[in-house]
Amino acid sequence: MARHNHFGSLGEDLAVDFLQSLDYEILERNYRYLKAEIDILARKDDLLVVVEVKARSSGHLKPIAETVSKKKIALLVMATDNYIVLKHLEVEVRFDIITIEKTQTTYKMEHIKDAFYYF
């Protein structure tokens, strides 16, 4: 596995651990529909939380959360709609981003709730 893929997977593991520590129920990881992939689908109370995980090393100029494109958002919404229909869910949906930035020896994590809206 390429080094960046390994770090991305580690980032998702850290995000899952973080969410579980806050009593989120993890429903799916790496849910795929057509060309879309949702990193984490979780449930918190009566809310379906769609989580995009962005992990990278420090030293970039652009904030990590700003790297989620309009195209990626459209794909996330499409896959979420598919998941809701497939599972016959009647829930409110929230789209979050968890950013993980690696420095030499530590990880800095930020959880951005309601990172974007789907309408």
Side-chain angles (χ1 to χ4, degrees), residues 10-24 26 29 40 98 109:
L10 173 64
E12 288 181 15
D13 291 342
L14 292 169
V16 164
D17 291 345
F18 171 77
L19 291 169
Q20 288 176 326
S21 76
L22 297 174
D23 296 324
Y24 284 75
I26 305 303
R29 288 184 67 175
I40 302 169
I98 293 181
M109 186 178 310

Side-chain angles (χ1 to χ4, degrees), residues 41-70:
L41 281 159
R43 191 161 195 152
K44 178 75 170 175
D45 303 320
D46 292 331
L47 196 63
L48 178 66
V49 183
V50 179
V51 182
E52 174 69 9
V53 179
K54 300 300 276 183
R56 71 174 182 197
S57 304
S58 62
H60 296 269
L61 297 176
K62 189 173 187 178
I64 303 172
E66 290 181 18
T67 64
V68 179
S69 68
K70 288 182 181 183

